[in-house]
Amino acid sequence: MSRSSEAAAMKRKRPDSSTQGLVDAELVVLNVVKSKKNLGIWVADVKKEANIAPALVDKCLTSLVKKNLIKKVPTIQNKAKKHYMAVEYEPSEELTGGAWYSEGKLDKEFITVLRETCLKVIGMMKVATVEGIHDFLKKRKVVECCTSQQVGEILNSMVLDDAIIEVKSTGLGEYHSIPIGYVCYRIAVGDASGPKTIGPMASIPCGACPRISVCTPDGIISPKTCVYYTKWLNIEF
């Protein structure tokens, strides 16, 4: 055998350095946890699949966590259960609940802030798309760590709450900058007896403005240049 072939064979036989020093029981437990990838595994299931003494499994799990080979992960299904995962994987949304959860808990504060901000942005733009709102938030860094998918989910929930309405662009008037047929959103209004804003929009200055009929996004009279609206929006342009 040539030296290069012999070196290659030795390299193939070389054990994983991360598992060196582990006892047989730890290797069994580690392989069980790794096999579940980003779904992880509940400690009771580890004990079933490892087929070794339950007390020994507990010791192995504790040891593997200390050696930074596995980690505990929170789950929204049952927070009391001890769930383990190999350190090289990130928990799936099935476990964490996705972006709306933080450390296994629903992030109500983030949801509230995003809802209120989206409502204000739609009020400023009059008509807005998911992409338009997301770009606005991203450029001005109004809400950190926010994706267009999250904006879309928030807007859908607001439609269900009758805070905004979903419409399709006609390509005319206020919709001139949005392609025809594109889904967009605008503030919900009351009946013919007069405009009636909902929730946080009740205090918007536009409702009492005598020039509202000639106010357009890019006109001389515009939300972008309105001192009163900027103050209400509380966002620096």
Side-chain angles (χ1 to χ4, degrees):
M1 182 184 291
S2 66
R3 288 187 177 181
S4 59
S5 299
E6 187 175 323
M10 289 179 65
K11 188 175 182 181
R12 286 196 296 270
K13 294 177 182 178
R14 187 176 298 164
D16 184 354
S17 60
S18 66
T19 60
Q20 287 183 353
L22 297 182
V23 298
D24 290 344
E26 287 179 332
L27 281 172
V28 171
V29 171
L30 178 61
N31 288 332
V32 169
V33 175
K34 278 190 171 184
S35 70
K36 305 307 176 183
K37 299 182 179 181
N38 68 341
L39 290 176
I41 184 170
W42 180 33
V43 63
D45 291 331
V46 176
K47 293 175 180 178
K48 288 179 183 177
E49 295 193 25
N51 197 29
I52 55 180
L56 183 54
V57 170
D58 289 332
K59 289 182 179 179
C60 290
L61 289 171
T62 300
S63 175
L64 292 170
V65 169
K66 288 181 178 179
K67 292 175 181 178
N68 199 33
L69 293 174
I70 65 173
K71 59 186 176 182
K72 286 183 181 180
V73 291
T75 67
I76 60 171
Q77 291 94 340
N78 192 325
K79 298 173 185 177
K81 284 185 176 181
K82 290 182 180 180
H83 214 81
Y84 291 90
M85 181 179 297
V87 293
E88 57 263 38
Y89 296 106
E90 289 300 321
S92 67
E93 289 192 359
E94 183 179 336
L95 293 179
T96 64
W100 303 121
Y101 285 78
S102 177
E103 298 181 355
K105 296 180 180 179
L106 184 64
D107 196 341
K108 295 180 181 179
E109 182 179 352
F110 174 62
I111 293 172
T112 298
V113 169
L114 188 54
R115 280 177 64 97
E116 291 177 350
T117 305
C118 286
L119 198 59
K120 290 179 180 180
V121 174
I122 296 173
M124 183 197 72
M125 295 181 171
K126 293 194 173 181
V127 178
T129 62
V130 171
E131 294 79 9
I133 295 173
H134 180 247
D135 287 344
F136 182 97
L137 300 178
K138 187 176 180 181
K139 288 177 181 177
R140 290 165 176 78
K141 298 181 179 179
V142 179
V143 179
E144 298 292 341
C145 303
C146 172
T147 66
S148 58
Q149 180 180 341
Q150 286 177 296
V151 171
E153 290 174 359
I154 283 291
L155 294 177
N156 287 336
S157 72
M158 292 169 69
V159 169
L160 293 175
D161 290 340
D162 293 325
I164 60 174
I165 55 175
E166 180 182 300
V167 293
K168 288 189 177 181
S169 172
T170 62
L172 303 173
E174 295 177 345
Y175 303 93
H176 72 280
S177 62
I178 303 173
I180 296 175
Y182 231 67
V183 173
C184 42
Y185 302 85
R186 57 186 306 142
I187 299 300
V189 295
D191 53 30
S193 61
K196 182 172 62 177
T197 53
I198 296 177
M201 295 301 294
S203 61
I204 186 171
C206 306
C209 179
R211 307 303 301 279
I212 188 66
S213 61
V214 292
C215 181
T216 59
D218 300 309
I220 296 176
I221 299 175
S222 165
K224 296 179 181 178
T225 57
C226 178
V227 176
Y228 303 104
Y229 192 87
T230 302
K231 184 177 179 180
W232 176 84
L233 190 60
N234 197 28
I235 296 177
E236 183 177 350
F237 295 96

